[in-house]
Amino acid sequence: GLLGKYMSLAGSISIKNKIKDNIILNDLVSGDADWIIYPEGNMIKNKLVTFHDEEFYIHTKSQERPVYTGSAALAIKAQILRSGMKNAIDDAGVQIVPLTITYNHIRPGENSLLAFLDKYFNVRGTHFFEELEIEINLLRKSNMHLHFGEPIYVKSYIEESLKDKINLKKDEVINKLVDEHRKALISDGMRKVYENALINFEHIFILSLVTMPTAKVCPSYLKRLIYKNATSIINMKGVQIHPELQDELFSLILETDYPHFTSMIKVAQLQRVLYEDSEGDYLFDKNLLEKQYDFDKVRVKNTLQVILNEIKLQKNIVDVAYKNATFTQKEIELDNFNYLKEKEYKTFENEYLLYRKELPTKDAPGAPIILYDAKNTIGVVFSHGYMASPEEARHLAEYLFSKGVNVYALRLRGHGTDPLALKHVSSQDWEYDFKLAFTAMRQVCEKVFIGGFSTGGLLALMHASKYKADGVIAINSTLRLYNLTVSYVVPTLHAFNEMTSYLNAKGVGEWMENKSENPEINYPRHPLEGVAQMEKIITKTDKLLKQIKDPVLVIQGDNDPVVNPKSAQFIYKRIRSKWKKLVLIPRDRHSIILGEGENEVFDSIIYFVQKAH
């Protein structure tokens, strides 16, 4: 038909073509063209592939059989023919390149195009209808990942035999060589094909679900197990990992409506694999997941089974999932905590190495400060201010820890290394850093308070507008500034980059000097780009204050030379918390959490934490 003609024009050849092998061999020997060959021979809708008797088997509606070896036979024949040519190029020879195609987000469900086709062609109830339902949704909503694996050199399988130039001209000798090596060659090729499947969230979700030790599924436990499984495989050699498992997957733990998680839960509920109970947990019907469906309906009726089949061949990943499922929730949470804090330290280490050309010591001022004791049930996540480092909060951290409170004093990227680093970070980076620290502390503490000094306080307030915290502490937080350069020049610079030269001509340089109260902790200068990012935090927090309903403690020095004390009043009035407190402390310096009188601030904080607790 028309589709066949189109495919022929596109370069395809029908398997019914009697001289197809000759055409392919001619191209491979001459090097005129490469060929793409599907060894399975047909679609594997159920993704069920097994390996036994040294061969890969596919399972279709009509049979279980090994993958075809025709592509291997053609490759071996082509290599023999090339080797026998008088003017043969002495190169790497014929190669098989394993090509793996992985779809991310396989979803059933009717769509407008399918409805149109059904209306006019009446395809409902046919296997064609199922194919359209899945394939159209794949085209509309899915990502298709193509992975070209390392080439397999056919010559290496028949190296010794190629030395026999005379006998290699006999058909029976060639056919014998082909029969001897075709299975091994195709098995090696298919092993690489299946091993190179792109592991995505869907794979880890279903693998975590089926390895859970109980039929009752608590969403919070499942999320933590998914994260544990994902982090366990990230550094596995040879495993292809989708970016969604590497970047902000820890948000899964915090967010009640994490998109990938809720989507998979919805599919599982629609296909009755999961049932929600009265407590908000789920009951997992493993028998239904394992139920065998018609080959042409399995992708629609049991999507999770298809996704599970796709990852089953990754034995190393499956083994890790079963091992992780033996851990208790507390053990998984502790491991996630350790992973996240190491992740942050590695970010600091890499940045330090980039700008200082050496690795930092463990007690470097820029290193995150994490004080943790398993006996403590309360935790505080605290952020330093702009141009400072975690060292700014060391005294506060040690004070709180002495009172039985775990502390995570995080580092905002660009800080504690070199001022130049501030030219290459964004306000979104700082939000990410705060969220990572909060997620880590949530793993090991029953109650988690968040706070920060100056810009760090704004990040805490911003975070509280999105995620539930047990209390918020904002100290000298910067919603109103005395510095006109920051208040007016920087926003203008951010909006109109072309004005840079004009501003430089007027004496506003690319760098601003910083007369710090704590020069051993703060940068002596900072770039305008960094201040522009701080201004973004100010603007964004200003808009989000009305969404904050958690208990809030606002502390402000009454004669702060940097932050207008009206900032504290503004924050206090705008937040909608029923329990909020404003503490004004007589101070004529900005840094009130370090130095003389710091204990007065610390006492206010611990009182707030204990009262809110």
Side-chain angles (χ1 to χ4, degrees):
L2 291 175
L3 182 59
K5 290 179 181 178
Y6 168 76
M7 293 182 68
S8 295
L9 289 171
S12 301
I13 190 168
S14 171
I15 58 172
K16 297 177 183 178
N17 190 319
K18 294 180 180 180
I19 60 169
K20 67 180 184 303
D21 288 1
N22 291 338
I23 294 171
I24 294 172
L25 282 171
N26 181 70
D27 286 343
L28 295 180
V29 171
S30 63
D32 287 344
D34 298 324
W35 278 86
I36 298 173
I37 299 175
Y38 299 85
E40 294 94 346
N42 57 286
M43 291 178 68
I44 312 175
K45 294 182 180 181
N46 56 13
K47 299 288 184 183
L48 184 56
V49 180
T50 57
F51 183 76
H52 52 89
D53 299 329
E54 300 301 315
E55 290 186 85
F56 284 92
Y57 285 74
I58 66 168
H59 301 256
T60 69
K61 59 181 177 181
S62 59
Q63 61 181 326
E64 173 191 340
R65 62 163 177 79
V67 297
Y68 294 141
T69 58
S71 55
L74 287 168
I76 295 169
K77 283 184 180 180
Q79 181 59 60
I80 294 172
L81 292 171
R82 280 176 71 117
S83 302
M85 292 171 63
K86 288 183 179 181
N87 298 320
I89 301 171
D90 188 19
D91 58 3
V94 179
Q95 304 163 43
I96 291 180
V97 179
L99 172 58
T100 308
I101 304 174
T102 313
Y103 292 95
N104 190 25
H105 307 315
I106 300 175
R107 294 290 184 274
E110 295 191 25
N111 50 71
S112 54
L113 180 56
L114 181 62
F116 172 81
L117 291 171
D118 184 44
K119 180 178 179 180
Y120 291 98
F121 298 100
N122 192 28
V123 294
R124 189 175 298 272
T126 67
H127 74 87
F128 188 57
F129 183 85
E130 179 273 343
E131 287 183 15
L132 284 174
E133 179 176 346
I134 295 295
E135 303 299 329
I136 291 173
N137 284 336
L138 285 175
L139 288 171
R140 291 175 65 241
K141 301 178 181 178
S142 298
N143 298 318
M144 183 169 66
H145 179 266
L146 281 74
H147 180 88
F148 293 86
E150 291 295 320
I152 299 170
Y153 298 94
V154 179
K155 187 186 292 185
S156 64
Y157 287 77
I158 55 174
E159 196 86 55
E160 287 300 315
S161 301
L162 290 177
K163 296 175 182 177
D164 186 359
K165 300 288 186 180
I166 298 175
N167 286 326
L168 282 181
K169 294 180 180 179
K170 300 176 181 178
D171 287 345
E172 62 270 19
V173 175
I174 293 175
N175 292 335
K176 183 180 179 184
L177 266 178
V178 169
D179 289 338
E180 285 177 357
H181 299 286
R182 64 195 300 167
K183 283 187 178 180
L185 180 53
I186 199 64
S187 290
D188 290 345
M190 299 314 293
R191 184 176 291 106
K192 288 178 177 285
V193 167
Y194 298 129
E195 286 177 354
N196 286 333
L198 185 71
I199 306 304
N200 55 46
F201 184 87
E202 296 178 355
H203 295 126
I204 302 303
F205 175 92
I206 187 58
L207 197 55
S208 301
L209 188 62
V210 298
T211 55
M212 287 183 68
T214 64
K216 188 178 177 68
V217 180
C218 172
S220 64
Y221 171 69
L222 178 57
K223 288 180 176 182
R224 284 158 172 77
L225 182 58
I226 289 171
Y227 188 69
K228 167 66 177 168
N229 283 329
T231 57
S232 296
I233 69 170
I234 280 176
N235 296 317
M236 274 188 181
K237 188 176 179 180
V239 176
Q240 309 301 319
I241 305 293
H242 194 286
E244 69 191 10
L245 296 180
Q246 302 180 52
D247 299 333
E248 285 197 57
L249 184 60
F250 64 82
S251 300
L252 161 76
I253 298 172
L254 288 185
E255 297 175 7
T256 55
D257 55 351
Y258 189 76
H260 296 320
F261 185 81
T262 53
S263 175
M264 291 300 288
I265 290 289
K266 183 179 178 181
V267 171
Q269 286 184 289
L270 286 173
Q271 298 180 350
R272 301 185 180 277
V273 174
L274 288 181
Y275 294 84
E276 189 171 7
D277 64 16
S278 57
E279 298 174 352
D281 294 335
Y282 299 95
L283 296 176
F284 174 39
D285 190 341
K286 195 169 185 177
N287 292 326
L288 192 59
L289 179 69
E290 295 171 348
K291 181 181 176 181
Q292 296 303 309
Y293 288 88
D294 182 271
F295 183 79
D296 289 319
K297 296 180 179 179
V298 64
R299 292 190 295 178
V300 172
K301 297 292 186 181
N302 203 339
T303 310
L304 297 183
Q305 184 187 93
V306 175
I307 297 169
L308 180 61
N309 286 341
E310 192 171 41
I311 199 175
K312 276 182 177 179
L313 280 174
Q314 305 267 19
K315 188 176 182 301
N316 51 347
I317 297 177
V318 173
D319 289 345
V320 164
Y322 273 103
K323 179 182 177 183
N324 289 340
T326 63
F327 299 140
T328 65
Q329 179 163 336
K330 283 194 173 295
E331 288 172 330
I332 290 174
E333 288 171 338
L334 180 59
D335 191 77
N336 288 344
F337 168 73
N338 289 327
Y339 179 86
L340 286 167
K341 72 177 186 179
E342 285 300 317
K343 181 181 176 74
E344 188 193 351
Y345 186 82
K346 191 65 179 176
T347 301
F348 163 63
E349 192 176 58
N350 290 339
E351 187 181 299
Y352 197 97
L353 182 61
L354 176 64
Y355 291 99
R356 297 203 177 189
K357 311 305 179 187
E358 62 180 3
L359 289 172
T361 59
K362 285 290 183 182
D363 58 350
I369 299 170
I370 302 169
L371 306 176
Y372 169 72
D373 188 321
K375 297 192 297 290
N376 299 336
T377 59
I378 303 175
V380 170
V381 174
F382 195 87
S383 172
H384 60 82
Y386 178 67
M387 287 190 294
S389 70
E391 194 66 23
E392 181 176 60
R394 181 173 292 280
H395 291 183
L396 173 59
E398 292 173 347
Y399 173 87
L400 292 174
F401 193 60
S402 71
K403 301 293 184 180
V405 176
N406 291 325
V407 181
Y408 195 129
L410 66 131
R411 182 190 78 100
L412 301 176
R413 266 176 284 180
H415 295 82
T417 55
D418 188 279
L420 189 61
L422 285 174
K423 291 172 69 74
H424 306 288
V425 296
S426 68
S427 59
Q428 289 92 341
D429 292 332
W430 297 340
E431 292 179 53
Y432 174 100
D433 297 334
F434 198 100
K435 185 164 69 169
L436 184 147
F438 180 76
T439 306
M441 195 60 94
R442 266 281 179 229
Q443 298 299 283
V444 291
C445 295
E446 295 175 10
K447 303 272 186 178
V448 179
F449 292 78
I450 57 177
F453 176 74
S454 195
T455 303
L458 297 184
L459 286 166
L461 290 165
M462 188 188 303
H463 187 86
S465 71
K466 301 175 184 177
Y467 305 103
K468 173 66 180 172
D470 292 284
V472 188
I473 304 153
I475 306 171
N476 284 7
S477 292
T478 328
L479 272 183
R480 296 291 183 271
L481 293 166
Y482 283 128
N483 191 319
L484 292 179
T485 304
V486 173
S487 298
Y488 298 103
V489 174
V490 172
T492 303
L493 179 66
H494 174 67
F496 307 100
N497 288 328
E498 65 269 19
M499 291 183 65
T500 302
S501 59
Y502 172 78
L503 292 170
N504 284 335
K506 293 296 182 181
V508 180
E510 183 182 355
W511 290 83
M512 300 174 68
E513 298 301 315
N514 176 36
K515 296 178 181 179
S516 172
E517 297 166 351
N518 301 296
E520 71 282 0
I521 293 174
N522 292 73
Y523 287 151
R525 62 178 190 147
H526 55 114
L528 281 174
E529 288 93 336
V531 190
Q533 299 309 313
M534 180 180 70
E535 186 270 334
K536 285 185 178 181
I537 296 293
I538 293 172
T539 303
K540 194 170 182 179
T541 306
D542 197 352
K543 296 176 181 178
L544 294 173
L545 287 175
K546 290 182 179 180
Q547 298 180 26
I548 299 172
K549 299 178 181 179
D550 300 325
V552 177
L553 170 65
V554 180
I555 301 177
Q556 178 65 53
D558 66 348
N559 198 23
D560 190 325
V562 177
V563 176
N564 190 326
K566 290 181 180 179
S567 282
Q569 298 282 356
F570 188 82
I571 292 169
Y572 181 80
K573 290 177 181 177
R574 291 284 296 280
I575 57 177
R576 295 187 175 181
S577 308
K578 291 183 179 179
W579 183 9
K580 54 184 178 178
K581 186 175 183 181
L582 173 61
V583 177
L584 291 174
I585 296 180
R587 295 288 186 278
D588 58 2
R589 55 194 174 84
H590 180 54
S591 181
I592 63 176
I593 62 170
L594 197 60
E596 185 180 350
E598 63 184 31
N599 280 342
E600 186 179 350
V601 177
F602 299 169
D603 289 342
S604 296
I605 293 172
I606 195 66
Y607 179 80
F608 171 74
V609 169
Q610 291 172 343
K611 278 289 185 180
H613 173 59

